[in-house]
Amino acid sequence: MERLQKVIAQSGITSRRKAEELIQQGQVKVNGTVVTELGTKVGGRDRIEVNGVQIEREQPVYFLLYKPSGVITAVSDDKGRKVVTDYFTDLIEQRVFPVGRLDYDTSGVLIMTNDGMFANELMHPKYKVDKTYIAKVKGIPTREALKKLEHGIVLEDGKTAPARVKFISGDRKKQTAIIELIIHEGRNRQVRRMFEAIGHPVMKLKRERYSFLDVKGLNPGEFRELTPHEVKQLRVKAVTQPSKNRGHR
Ligand code: URA
């Protein structure tokens, strides 16, 4: 469900501000009844009329963006820095937003949509969507250190849920290692904080997979539309996917 003024603005007929005025002036009907309450929520099936004319609802769209590092996960930036929606502006009609966020310096899979309900489902902590990260870290973590990540580690905002961890490679000369980490939580800078907590700060981070989706076939900054089947699968997984806590090492 979304706020009435937002839905009206999204249809492109006016701004959100003007939509609020129209609602307060009694010029908006939802399913035939005048609504003047600004907080009113409407769903996809509700019929909305402005001045007696039914608005066209925006079609839901779903994309997978290969987010490059050096881009902000936001729809705008007051300092004029590049944001993830910039990749879509001239190519698609709909206004999309990111599902969750990747740090400025993180690259990889980012889902973009205009479907608020879908985004909420995927981001809800109870849905436990697996996210696979590949981290290049400083130093070469021991098996014990990685076990800590697997079991859960106490951060300032609480203990992390069990994770799956796989040692990919280590470079003794450069004193760096590549580690795969699969988590389903989405706390702020979680992966970086987890590695920091075991004394191996992240030097480079990529989200390799979001559930079953990866960036194969895309270059950084490119996106593709998700197929209807993928969207459906994501919805199903969001609802049913149990979190696993077996380690690979
Ligand atoms: N964890 C992080 O630390 N950063 C990200 O961008 C995503 C997950």
Side-chain angles (χ1 to χ4, degrees):
M1 301 286 274
E2 298 210 271
R3 290 164 83 85
L4 182 55
Q5 57 267 42
K6 184 175 173 193
V7 174
I8 295 173
Q10 271 180 348
S11 76
I13 59 163
T14 187
S15 67
R16 197 181 296 200
R17 183 80 172 279
K18 189 84 178 90
E20 288 177 356
E21 283 174 25
L22 292 169
I23 294 168
Q24 286 171 320
Q25 290 162 3
Q27 296 185 54
V28 176
K29 282 185 186 169
V30 177
N31 302 324
T33 307
V34 173
V35 166
T36 53
E37 188 77 30
L38 280 185
T40 303
K41 297 270 180 89
V42 288
R45 299 224 167 118
D46 289 317
R47 186 167 42 86
I48 300 160
E49 289 167 64
V50 177
N51 287 329
V53 180
Q54 191 170 334
I55 64 165
E56 292 288 332
R57 303 292 292 274
E58 210 174 58
Q59 279 300 107
V61 287
Y62 308 89
F63 298 97
L64 186 163
L65 170 69
Y66 184 167
K67 178 196 175 294
S69 71
V71 180
I72 300 175
T73 305
V75 296
S76 65
D77 180 59
D78 50 11
K79 297 194 185 98
R81 292 169 296 180
K82 198 165 181 68
V83 293
V84 289
T85 47
D86 289 347
Y87 295 103
F88 295 83
T89 313
D90 296 330
L91 298 177
I92 65 155
E93 259 173 49
Q94 295 87 344
R95 273 174 286 182
V96 289
F97 54 84
V99 177
R101 69 183 282 284
L102 290 177
D103 298 335
Y104 180 76
D105 287 333
T106 305
S107 64
V109 181
L110 187 65
I111 307 292
M112 305 282 295
T113 184
N114 58 352
D115 183 339
M117 288 253 279
F118 175 76
N120 286 342
E121 266 173 36
L122 290 184
M123 285 191 292
H124 197 287
K126 84 173 187 216
Y127 289 139
K128 300 186 170 67
V129 177
D130 276 345
K131 291 132 203 153
T132 305
Y133 294 93
I134 301 290
K136 180 179 181 185
V137 302
K138 233 178 170 167
I140 302 186
T142 60
R143 182 183 286 262
E144 288 67 40
L146 296 183
K147 277 266 175 263
K148 286 187 191 162
L149 298 182
E150 263 176 27
H151 291 141
I153 198 156
V154 179
L155 301 176
E156 66 213 21
D157 50 358
K159 191 172 177 192
T160 60
R164 279 179 281 164
V165 184
K166 190 173 171 184
F167 185 91
I168 308 276
S169 63
D171 186 329
R172 299 230 163 258
K173 243 199 207 138
K174 292 193 180 140
Q175 278 300 299
T176 57
I178 307 289
I179 312 287
E180 181 188 273
L181 180 69
I182 307 180
I183 58 172
H184 59 73
E185 295 175 298
R187 302 192 213 166
N188 194 25
R189 298 180 71 81
Q190 181 166 345
V191 175
R192 292 175 198 272
R193 290 190 291 134
M194 286 172 78
F195 280 107
E196 188 82 45
I198 60 163
H200 295 281
V202 168
M203 300 166 72
K204 205 170 170 190
L205 189 60
K206 180 180 180 190
R207 180 149 74 191
E208 191 74 5
R209 275 192 300 283
Y210 184 94
S211 194
F212 55 90
L213 293 168
D214 60 33
V215 294
K216 264 189 210 115
L218 296 174
N219 290 313
E222 288 181 347
F223 63 85
R224 71 167 176 88
E225 198 159 358
L226 295 179
T227 66
H229 183 67
E230 285 171 331
V231 173
K232 210 168 180 179
Q233 253 184 307
L234 273 181
R235 283 206 161 99
V236 171
K237 287 221 185 290
V239 177
T240 61
Q241 189 162 324
S243 82
K244 304 177 200 93
N245 59 7
R246 282 171 285 113
H248 287 320
R249 210 181 170 205

